[in-house]
Amino acid sequence: MKRLKTLPIHPGDSVVVLTGAGISAESGIPTFREKGGLWEKYDAYKLATPEGFKTDPLRVWQFYSERREAIQKCEPNAAHQALVSLESYMAKKGEFLLVTQNVDALHQRAGSKNILEIHGNIFRTRCSNPDCEGWYQPFEDTDLHMDEVPKCKICGAPLRPDVVWFGEPIDPMLEFRVQQALRSCDYFIAIGTSGTVYPAAGYVQTAGDAGARTVLINAEAPHNIAFFKEFYQGPATKILPALLGLD
Ligand code: BJW
């Protein structure tokens, strides 16, 4: 590969990184919308909406249990590691925020610290009843619920994975923190995301309007490409370390 010029990020800069399924693809975790992706094989409306869960909670749990099991066998890759290096480079003087749409927790396993999981975490479970206090008390859960829907100990309602489905809002506190960071960052770097799902797909506009240098690293040109000032096409594990001068 032609040697890339490194991004001139200074330790005192403010950087917001947005990651999507593409960053974990080389760890062996399927993306959603590519050929062979999850939403090609499975019906998103049946498996990733509150309506789908109400209709067939066991089928939804089987889908998430299979993914829990598969993700546990995967390891963070060079792109996850590069973001850990960037965060530690900026730790003393700068500001670094990692916003991930991924539910796989690979960033945490790699060692990233300042991270917001806007679509939740597949290894957490919570009550599905908004009137129960269990709704607000997600807990760590690596169990596989293949044969039976787990029930809330407080109200008896079905428990659900603590992820954000279509039609559900992002946690307003998380979204507030993201919006604040987007308005004051020097760099907005998106990695491995198709720019299809909102509100994340709109973050580049907010950052760009506020004057940030907007950079995209992706295997293919996504829907919202026009909003990025720079686009580097290729695998995240090669492009990101090269752009950060870590290769
Ligand atoms: C590589 C690579 C490599 C591969 N290296 N690159 C405005 C306009 C239109 C619609 C809406 C709107 N606002 C809201 C909506 C509705 C909806 C939405 O966006 N729909 C669109 C699909 C049209 N949004 C929502 O419903 C959101 N909620 C919301 O807005 O609430 C508002 C509200 C307020 C008040 C009350 C009620 C509601 C919630 C969205 C939740 C998304 N959930 C999922 C599932 C999470 C749990 C789970 O994992 O099962 O999140 S869907 C799925 O898509 C998952 C992902 O995080 C998300 C984004 O996908 P991502 O990461 O971009 O993956 P892909 O597969 O699409 O792309 C991967 C890319 O990587 C590809 O481009 C590859 O080329 C690339 N790649 N290998 C680099 N090695």
Side-chain angles (χ1 to χ4, degrees), residues 18 24 35 45 67 108 132 144 198-199 204 234-235:
L18 171 71
S24 295
K35 208 172 158 30
Y45 185 77
R67 287 173 60 200
Q108 291 91 327
C132 172
L144 307 181
Y198 287 83
V204 58

Side-chain angles (χ1 to χ4, degrees), residues 74-115:
C74 298
E75 295 297 328
N77 63 46
H80 297 104
Q81 299 294 354
L83 291 177
V84 178
S85 302
L86 178 60
E87 183 169 10
S88 77
Y89 168 73
M90 307 199 62
K92 284 204 181 106
K93 283 164 63 188
E95 282 177 47
F96 175 89
L97 178 64
L98 175 52
V99 181
T100 189
Q101 300 170 85
N102 299 343
V103 299
D104 58 29
L106 285 193
H107 286 301
Q108 291 91 327
R109 279 172 55 197
S112 285
K113 298 274 185 285
N114 199 18
I115 173 167

Side-chain angles (χ1 to χ4, degrees), residues 31-35 37-40 166 194 196-197 220 223:
T31 59
F32 292 92
R33 294 172 186 81
E34 292 181 286
K35 208 172 158 30
L38 289 175
W39 296 159
E40 195 184 80
F166 288 111
S194 61
T196 316
V197 171
E220 60 195 23
H223 292 277

Side-chain angles (χ1 to χ4, degrees), residues 18-27 29-34 37-39 44 47-49 63-64 67 71 77 79 100-104 118-122 161-170 191-201 216-223 232-239:
L18 171 71
T19 60
I23 197 167
S24 295
E26 292 166 85
S27 292
I29 299 176
T31 59
F32 292 92
R33 294 172 186 81
E34 292 181 286
L38 289 175
W39 296 159
L47 298 172
T49 64
F63 172 66
Y64 281 94
R67 287 173 60 200
I71 292 169
N77 63 46
T100 189
Q101 300 170 85
N102 299 343
V103 299
D104 58 29
I118 58 169
H119 292 166
N121 184 315
I122 200 168
D162 186 29
V163 297
V164 179
W165 287 325
F166 288 111
E168 295 187 316
I170 308 297
I191 307 163
T193 176
S194 61
T196 316
V197 171
Y198 287 83
L216 172 70
I217 298 163
N218 211 57
E220 60 195 23
H223 292 277
Y232 300 92
Q233 186 164 11
T237 57
K238 297 280 178 303
I239 304 274

